[in-house]
Amino acid sequence: MNPVIELLNAHRSIRRFTDRKIAPELLRELIQAGQSAATSSHVQAYSVIHVKNPANRETLAELAGGQDYIATCSDFLVFCADMKRPAEAAERAGADATRGMTEQLLVASVDTALMAQNVVVAAESEGLGICYIGGIRNNPQAVSDLLRLPEHVYPVFGLCLGYPDQTSEVKPRLPVEAILKEDYYRDDQAQVDAFDASMREYYQARSNTQKDTTWSQNLTPLFEHKVRPHMRDFLVSRGFEMK
Amino acid sequence: MNPVIELLNAHRSIRRFTDRKIAPELLRELIQAGQSAATSSHVQAYSVIHVKNPANRETLAELAGGQDYIATCSDFLVFCADMKRPAEAAERAGADATRGMTEQLLVASVDTALMAQNVVVAAESEGLGICYIGGIRNNPQAVSDLLRLPEHVYPVFGLCLGYPDQTSEVKPRLPVEAILKEDYYRDDQAQVDAFDASMREYYQARSNTQKDTTWSQNLTPLFEHKVRPHMRDFLVSRGFEMK
């Protein structure tokens, strides 16, 4: 296994950081490494808001459901899917640009995720720790107001970056046999059952907040309650009509 | 700049591959590295179809708009957003699972993209070349039929993998000043104009298929014509109702 793959396999979320700040030149280097990721038709449908204002970081920590590491990490970024820039560029080049297609929502969301994951790999290669913040979608309109996001731009997730001040185990993943399927989709309940058993052992043995649960049990609140049921109306109101 | 960041910055799409095959153990290692990426609430909402049947690869090459490298690369993968596995696992654990939320579509699409980008970084660290295939969404229902994808699973993109048989320049990206914005969203038309000028130089000087165009001009067909206008109805028909 080469050192890059070892780095990828060593990923775990970090939520406690030292006071050490990331050098601005390094942050810029991470974003550029992010931009090197593949992008659909070269559209580069993303923008990244670097939230420096401490009061705004406190507000975002609350809006994301009380995740205080948003305020305490070295740098907090909000990754936005951005169809405004390419649509307006196409218009200036003479196009009668259509907006609001479902395909455009997918392209921009995927472009943003590919870019962010490269930022994460680059960050971890420099000894930084990271934590994605999906909670930014708890209150996406308030986040959009705070960051003055225009129409056709929406916040997909946040990212905490900093020098780690905690150690934690790598969290297990589903067996590769469940994920990788030969030629056709196949049922993977047997692998899920085995994974549930191994996750129960993991939760009982891990160094902090031990509990008696499985992967499947942990997922129930995600499906029993409608999680972020506002997302559809929010996206439509921001010009992502899902046409 | 460390070797990992150098690797990320050296990315370019590869569409011509040697006959050398990827060892099955390496492919498995790449998928596991992909699974190490962050995943929203540990949901791991993805499956990967490894298309080995040569006739099916020919069919997919046609369905994706005549991209023959789908058939000629060493290995072709279809990355699918998969809400079926976690929803059914939650149900077996007692949940009355809601499906079809827009939020779930976003979570699964982003999870899939983060995972795939780790696969890509791992692949390139082993000297492989890759090409994402968004064209898999040209005919998503036919692709889903061919791969026997069930409801609540949709093909997000394909990925060609193999040992490169071409050299190509790294394609320029927007200036980091356009992408990275301090505290608030800001207009970036000046940077786009500068990028258009530099892209014109790039297209005029590059080693293959030189042309006289800009980034903005290249984007016009993406917005003038409705690209993949079937995606909304397709997703709804597959159980992604965007509620």
Side-chain angles (χ1 to χ4, degrees), chain B:
Chain B
M1 197 171 293
N2 77 47
V4 175
I5 294 179
E6 279 175 15
L7 175 76
L8 297 174
N9 290 349
H11 166 75
R12 78 276 329 258
S13 290
I14 295 294
R15 296 184 174 83
R16 212 164 55 227
F17 301 93
T18 71
D19 290 339
R20 184 176 167 196
K21 295 296 172 204
I22 299 171
E25 312 78 56
L26 176 56
L27 188 73
R28 185 188 158 90
E29 195 174 306
L30 302 182
I31 298 295
Q32 286 187 305
Q35 292 183 253
S36 298
T39 159
S40 179
S41 305
H42 204 212
V43 70
Q44 306 172 73
Y46 42 70
S47 285
V48 179
I49 312 293
H50 183 198
V51 188
K52 300 185 86 168
N53 181 314
N56 286 0
R57 283 181 51 179
E58 295 282 355
T59 304
L60 288 169
E62 285 165 35
L63 290 172
Q67 302 193 58
D68 61 351
Y69 28 94
I70 291 175
T72 56
C73 64
S74 169
D75 291 86
F76 184 67
L77 305 174
V78 180
F79 284 78
C80 302
D82 186 344
M83 289 307 281
K84 176 180 189 284
R85 182 193 303 112
E88 292 186 353
E91 279 176 337
R92 289 194 299 271
D96 181 15
T98 307
R99 292 173 173 84
M101 306 299 291
T102 297
E103 168 68 7
Q104 294 172 348
L105 174 67
L106 294 178
V107 161
S109 303
V110 168
D111 251 33
T112 303
L114 299 182
M115 189 267 191
Q117 186 58 18
N118 257 21
V119 171
V120 163
V121 173
E124 293 182 337
S125 79
E126 286 284 332
L128 296 169
I130 70 99
C131 185
Y132 279 101
I133 306 290
I136 221 73
R137 298 192 303 275
N138 288 358
N139 292 288
Q141 185 58 56
V143 170
S144 300
D145 292 344
L146 194 72
L147 307 180
R148 302 181 192 163
L149 303 184
E151 278 212 332
H152 308 113
V153 177
Y154 93 90
V156 189
F157 44 72
L159 188 72
C160 296
L161 288 161
Y163 290 91
D165 192 27
Q166 69 178 132
T167 54
S168 53
E169 287 99 351
V170 172
K171 204 167 183 177
R173 295 293 192 259
L174 281 159
V176 66
E177 291 72 22
I179 301 299
L180 185 63
K181 299 168 193 288
E182 192 173 316
D183 280 319
Y184 308 109
Y185 193 95
R186 293 156 203 271
D187 182 73
D188 49 31
Q189 190 182 334
Q191 288 94 342
V192 168
D193 289 344
F195 185 58
D196 272 342
S198 66
M199 281 307 297
R200 185 185 297 280
E201 285 175 29
Y202 164 82
Y203 282 122
Q204 287 173 341
R206 72 176 179 179
S207 45
N208 45 10
T209 44
Q210 293 157 13
K211 45 189 177 179
D212 183 24
T213 184
T214 67
W215 182 68
S216 297
Q217 283 170 350
N218 279 347
L219 294 178
T220 58
L222 283 184
F223 288 93
E224 273 194 332
H225 311 293
K226 289 183 183 175
V227 173
R228 301 175 188 138
H230 52 264
M231 280 308 292
R232 182 184 186 285
D233 288 350
F234 165 72
L235 286 170
V236 170
S237 76
R238 305 306 294 158
F240 293 92
E241 286 96 350
M242 293 180 270
K243 289 188 284 201

Side-chain angles (χ1 to χ4, degrees), chain A residues 12-17 67-70 72-73 129-133 160 164-166 168 171, chain B residues 39 41:
Chain A
R12 79 275 328 257
S13 290
I14 296 295
R15 295 184 176 83
R16 212 165 55 227
F17 301 93
Q67 302 193 59
D68 61 351
Y69 28 95
I70 290 175
T72 57
C73 65
I130 70 99
C131 184
Y132 279 102
I133 306 291
C160 296
D165 191 27
Q166 69 179 130
S168 54
K171 204 168 185 178
Chain B
T39 159
S41 305

